[in-house]
Amino acid sequence: MGLSETLANYFDVHKHGSTVRTEILAGLTTFLTMSYIVVVNPSLLTDQPYIEGVDGIAIAGYTPGEVQSMLAVVTILAAAIATTIMAFYANRPFAQAPGLGLNAFFAFTVVGALGVPWQTALAAVFVEGIIFIALTAVGAREAIIKVFPEPVKMAVGTGIGLFLAIIGLQAMGIVVDDTATLVTMGNLASNPIAIVSIVGLFFTFALYAANVPGSIIIGIIGTSVLGWGLTASGLVSGEAGLVAGSSAATYDITPLAGAFLSGFGNVEAFSFALIVITFFFVDFFDTAGTLVGVGQAGGFLDEDGDLPDIDKPLMADAVGTTAGAMLGTSTVTTYIESATGVEEGGRTGLTALVVALLFLASLAIVPLATAIPQYASHIALVVIGVVMLRNVVDIEWDDLTFTIPAGMTILVMPFTYSIAYGIAAGIVSYPLVKVAAGEYDEVSAGQWALAVAFVLYFVVRTSGMLQAQV
């Protein structure tokens, strides 16, 4: 029995109406569409010089470039582990890696705005993963989904999309701060970074619209090459920042692996619990929505619109999150880009296994992660942010009791630079508008409890800030 036949039998490839060749091509397609995370995740999680006070993951004795290469290795390993579990345990063509939006929340909100040490943030991700494993094991998915208001769940993706987009546009010099209007258009004529970024962004959009496999990573690399070329040719001064700082790549992840343990040493219980809940909420519903959406594209859903045995891919996701935190990266989640592989015919875990193996093979290109300028890597945030806006079609806009909490969730996220605050705004407003509309019987006790908890959090946080000012 040859390898091809062995793989076909193990993953029931023929039973699912596929072939080994189709599964391999589907895995390659999925990998190409999500491989940008190897470059983007390290850039997001490390030092962010263009945002005052946000340092991300910084390790004493190591340059930002060295930390980025460590994170590139960790990103690859976490993606490979989680996707391998998805392949063998769930036998589904879903790929996993540290999630965009979740890593932005990790770096900008938890570590940056809240001032939480990155080790403690990793500890929160680890705890979230353990809770996820426990709840998935006892089949509590349906109960958890019912606690959170539907309009908030439907709005989170769009809010995160806007949040990612403004982060990316800011890194590219297209959006800058303004004392009068808070934000405004940057001075594009005198900013080579902004000009190159705009060219790269529209080039990437064109590739994405043309369904070119790997369009985002091609766009990132193409934009980087343009920047390097302009600098090398002398057309643009080397001081313009078009070329990333060079740094020797390191494969030693010792400073990151196990760092979450030290994060438990100085934890404020309520704030830590809130961070864990937010990580858990975004990860859980993002994963559930992705699984159902990709499942629909592959014809996996039953007559009731449910994905059979959804607990298995949810468990793979939970274990991936836990393993990722132990290695030293933000929350691992199932990628919507898995739909590209499904559209290519991927139907089994063999597709996921191919993705995992390609991630491992990409360890050879870790030095590339430190050579990609930040403005180029953040093109992915704008592209994915725009794509995520399509989630608004799932919101019942003709019902004001849905419009208000959904709208608050979407607007507050980018305007406060916080995913957590956006979610809180939606959850707090939902029971209030329901009661005002005379629909108080549609608000569960759990939803009231969650709204009250968020209000108490902000009262405590605000009073603490006032005392600090006095």
Side-chain angles (χ1 to χ4, degrees), residues 73-142:
V73 173
V74 168
T75 299
I76 290 168
L77 294 178
I81 291 171
T83 307
T84 299
I85 296 172
M86 181 70 75
F88 288 104
Y89 179 66
N91 194 21
R92 292 290 189 183
F94 306 140
Q96 302 185 89
L100 278 177
L102 291 162
N103 51 16
F105 174 73
F106 182 103
F108 301 130
T109 301
V110 178
V111 178
L114 298 181
V116 174
W118 61 267
Q119 296 92 335
T120 302
L122 286 176
V125 174
F126 175 80
V127 171
E128 174 230 337
I130 295 298
I131 295 174
F132 205 169
I133 290 173
L135 291 176
T136 304
V138 299
R141 178 178 62 91
E142 294 80 4

Side-chain angles (χ1 to χ4, degrees), residues 37 119 126 161 167 175 184 195 309-310 325 332 388 400 416 461:
I37 197 62
Q119 296 92 335
F126 175 80
I167 291 171
V175 171
T184 188
I195 295 173
D309 297 321
I310 194 174
V332 172
M388 291 178 73
L400 278 177
T416 63
R461 180 173 173 78

Side-chain angles (χ1 to χ4, degrees), residues 329-348:
T329 188
S330 54
T331 306
V332 172
T333 189
T334 304
Y335 265 56
I336 192 65
E337 285 84 353
S338 301
T340 60
V342 169
E343 291 172 357
E344 288 293 325
R347 293 294 181 269
T348 73

Side-chain angles (χ1 to χ4, degrees), residues 3 6 34 40 50 124 163 195 199 270 282 306 357 390 413 428:
L3 178 60
T6 300
M34 63 181 291
V40 175
Y50 59 93
F163 183 44
I195 295 173
V199 173
F270 187 79
V282 177
D306 295 325
L357 292 175
R390 62 188 176 189
M413 278 190 195
V428 171

